[in-house]
Amino acid sequence: MLGIETSCDETGVGLVRGNTLLADAVASSVDEHARFGGVVPEVASRAHLEAMVPTVERACVEAGVRLDDVDAVAVTSGPGLVGALLVGVAAAKALALGFGRPLYGVNHLVAHVAVDQLEHGPLPEPCLALLVSGGHSSLLLVDDVTKDVQSLGATIDDAAGEAFDKVARLLGLPFPGGPHIDAAARDGDPASIAFPRGLTSGRDMQQHRFDFSFSGLKTAVARWVDARARSGEPVPLADVAAAFQEAVCDVLTRKAVAACQAHGIEHLLIGGGVAANSRLRTLVVERAAAAGVAVRVPRPSLCTDNGAMVAALGAQLVERGRAPSALDLPADSAMPVTAVVA
Amino acid sequence: MLLLALDTATPAVTAAVHDATSVLCTSSTVDARRHGERVAPMVQQVLAQAGVGARDLTDIAVGVGPGPFTGLRVGLMTARTLALVTGARLVGVCTLDVLARAVATQGANADAPFLVACDARRKEVYWAGYDGEGRRVDGPAVDRPVALAARLDAAPGPSAGVFGRGGQLYADVLPAAGGPLDPDAAVLAGAVLSDAVPLLAAEPLYLRRPDVTMPGQQQAQPPDGRLP
């Protein structure tokens, strides 16, 4: 199974055989976006077009297979940046059409769940998935990764990764912000500043029990840094980074574990770029263990966007006999998780 | 020799199969917002109707614009990937040249120099200038219709006017000469096989830099707004 991912700024091409990862080639345009402090859709789309063929070739070399050995093609058809998605979808269709192989247009978020099978074997189902990246912050209830996925909650404003990027920017750290804040926070005191925990108060918990909000947190950090700078005192970078990171990870892990308990789920899976955050990994393991929930986190290279995750989901779709997509498959920037395959 | 030609740089999607003797099959549709959905089924259809398989292709020719970026990329990505799959030779053709070829072969310009213009959105047109025989002598470029009109006024000698959607859309300022409005892959294939158009790399002719929306700012383009 060949998988193609172009929903944001990574051009990913993966090859898998069942649960075995053969190749995971990724070309990123992140450096081209860095000077803008965020992903520029048109820049990403142009980069996908240029990177696609070389990345497909690299994946084949890495896997030691010929392109015409591929039995089926899977591609992220949503959600994501529509112009970026369309490049990957066009490439996948041409492969499927050229080789006469089936095409599967798959959901990006569900692929983030399915990728774990490449590292830890068959998925425990049902399981709960916390997906946190620059574009998404979602809690998914996965009964069957090929056909039955429900959204329990999601961010109502900024994604967690977006909050990391924005806070990094106001602290003068480079884009993408996650790794830089993680590193800066290591020397800081997470309890030094009490930043707000979004959607955790009584009334919010009734309406948004498993939703997230990081916009207020970002504003609180901006205000705190601004007040500090105005008073002429130095901004304690490490403490701000640590306290901000703690606020994000606290809410994410608290709600994820609570969702497991509320639904009687014993397995929690973490995915998305923010899953590479060291504090999130530590805290989730700690809290899940206390609640009797087993945690699975794929290695960081499989957590960020890649083609192997798309291939992994495609392999499951074939294994469980799901129908492939038609050649007029559209790219759907707002594809809901209830649609695993388009 | 089996050539697949396709173009997605305008509101049209068009594909044709040519065997160096004749066009075996051609198909076109105008559906500006669904290029991504239309191209692959259309390629599959023209191949099937021509009675050939994708892997029989020896050559692929693709329109490289200029045109709206999202649709343009769909055609280029399809052509590049099919070339990878089939090992076919891949060439690019300026989409405006395909329209000009149709104008010249129909004699619509009556041997006079002419322009071809397509809608570039944002009140601009993509355009190129051709001599009486349909050879490109100017462009491709992107400009406001008034700037193009001024350029035409300043040019010496007669002109057959502006063909294509760009002329039609801005007929109030440009000397619109009518159709063809959209490129036809059968014309594209014929032009490539008869060496009637310059062959280019299969690289998109964007002619504009990407729009960049900075956090907290309005959408803006770099001041020069154009690639060198």
Side-chain angles (χ1 to χ4, degrees):
Chain A
M1 174 68 68
L2 182 139
I4 293 179
E5 154 64 33
T6 62
S7 69
C8 191
D9 61 341
E10 324 277 1
T11 309
V13 179
L15 284 159
V16 310
R17 185 181 285 124
N19 279 344
T20 308
L21 176 64
L22 303 179
D24 179 19
V26 177
S28 178
S29 60
V30 66
D31 294 344
E32 293 172 59
H33 305 287
R35 67 193 171 107
F36 303 116
V39 173
V40 182
E42 177 60 21
V43 171
S45 300
R46 290 185 181 194
H48 287 310
L49 174 64
E50 298 315 317
M52 183 58 69
V53 167
T55 309
V56 169
E57 287 174 327
R58 194 151 54 86
C60 288
V61 170
E62 220 175 271
V65 303
R66 286 154 40 117
L67 193 50
D68 58 5
D69 292 335
V70 168
D71 294 317
V73 180
V75 61
T76 299
S77 62
L81 302 169
V82 71
L85 289 167
L86 273 166
V87 177
V89 169
K93 286 179 179 179
L95 286 172
L97 162 69
F99 288 123
R101 303 280 194 261
L103 169 75
Y104 294 84
V106 307
N107 188 297
H108 175 82
L109 293 175
V110 182
H112 269 304
V113 178
V115 74
D116 186 66
Q117 77 197 25
L118 300 178
E119 185 152 349
H120 299 115
L123 282 179
E125 292 174 35
C127 67
L128 202 120
L130 170 66
L131 300 183
V132 273
S133 70
H136 309 280
S137 300
S138 295
L139 271 175
L140 307 181
L141 179 57
V142 182
D143 267 322
D144 178 334
V145 76
T146 64
K147 66 166 188 173
D148 192 356
V149 181
Q150 288 174 57
S151 176
L152 296 182
T155 181
I156 60 167
D157 42 55
D158 291 350
E162 203 177 349
F164 272 92
D165 290 339
K166 288 177 176 173
V167 167
R169 192 182 170 84
L170 68 91
L171 291 176
L173 297 170
F175 172 86
H180 297 284
I181 288 191
D182 198 348
R186 260 168 226 148
D187 302 321
D189 175 7
S192 59
I193 310 159
F195 286 130
R197 269 61 169 163
L199 302 182
T200 53
S201 69
R203 188 198 289 174
D204 284 338
M205 284 302 282
Q206 281 171 13
Q207 276 186 11
H208 295 287
R209 189 174 177 197
F210 299 128
D211 289 328
F212 304 106
S213 166
F214 298 108
S215 177
L217 170 60
K218 170 204 66 192
T219 306
V221 176
R223 286 206 181 121
W224 193 93
V225 169
D226 193 44
R228 191 76 180 209
R230 263 184 228 208
S231 69
E233 288 176 80
V235 175
L237 178 71
D239 285 345
V240 175
F244 158 75
Q245 177 173 275
E246 192 66 18
V248 174
C249 297
D250 178 26
V251 179
L252 289 173
T253 55
R254 209 193 303 174
K255 292 206 176 196
V257 171
C260 288
Q261 290 175 316
H263 290 268
I265 305 292
E266 292 169 355
H267 299 274
L268 172 62
L269 201 147
I270 318 288
V274 180
N277 182 273
S278 65
R279 181 59 186 152
L280 181 67
R281 291 172 95 100
T282 308
L283 197 57
V284 78
V285 167
E286 208 176 283
R287 289 186 170 171
V293 171
V295 176
R296 292 177 36 149
V297 194
R299 60 179 175 271
S301 68
L302 293 179
C303 283
T304 49
D305 291 350
N306 63 80
M309 67 187 207
V310 180
L313 178 53
Q316 282 302 303
L317 290 165
V318 169
E319 195 176 301
R320 299 191 203 180
R322 305 289 174 239
S325 309
L327 266 189
D328 66 352
L329 167 75
D332 180 357
S333 62
M335 190 174 183
V337 289
T338 43
V340 173
V341 56
Chain B
M1 165 72 191
L2 198 62
L3 169 76
L4 171 72
L6 70 151
D7 191 301
T8 62
T10 70
V13 174
T14 177
V17 180
H18 201 303
D19 69 354
T21 306
S22 62
V23 176
L24 302 182
C25 185
T26 181
S27 177
S28 294
T29 181
V30 176
D31 192 349
R33 302 238 159 246
R34 302 207 309 150
H35 285 17
E37 291 156 63
R38 294 290 197 150
V39 178
M42 184 179 286
V43 169
Q44 188 179 48
Q45 176 214 329
V46 293
L47 289 171
Q49 285 183 6
V52 299
R55 297 177 83 177
D56 299 329
L57 294 171
T58 60
D59 293 82
I60 297 173
V62 61
V64 295
F69 308 153
T70 301
L72 174 60
R73 270 190 292 267
V74 167
L76 277 163
M77 193 71 263
T78 303
R80 285 186 186 182
T81 310
L82 280 173
L84 176 71
V85 168
T86 60
R89 185 178 75 123
L90 176 63
V91 297
V93 172
C94 172
T95 299
L96 298 169
D97 290 355
V98 179
L99 285 159
R101 176 73 181 157
V103 170
T105 52
Q106 288 164 16
N109 60 321
D111 296 331
F114 63 97
L115 297 183
V116 169
C118 292
D119 183 13
R121 300 179 184 164
R122 295 186 203 162
K123 300 177 183 166
E124 291 188 317
V125 292
Y126 294 118
W127 67 274
Y130 297 85
D131 67 14
E133 291 163 43
R135 281 188 294 256
R136 175 151 45 90
V137 290
D138 204 0
V142 58
D143 280 296
R144 289 182 161 265
V146 285
L148 191 55
R151 206 181 170 96
L152 269 172
D153 288 343
S159 165
V162 182
F163 291 86
R165 283 187 193 271
Q168 188 190 50
L169 203 57
Y170 298 102
D172 52 336
V173 285
L174 293 173
L181 296 178
D182 297 307
D184 178 346
V187 173
L188 200 175
V192 167
L193 290 168
S194 58
D195 288 325
V197 288
L199 299 185
L200 312 173
E203 299 287 343
L205 294 172
Y206 290 125
L207 306 189
R208 283 177 180 148
R209 288 183 177 168
D211 281 336
V212 170
T213 310
M214 301 291 281
Q217 281 183 11
Q218 292 297 312
Q219 204 167 45
Q221 258 196 305
D224 49 347
R226 189 177 300 182
L227 293 171

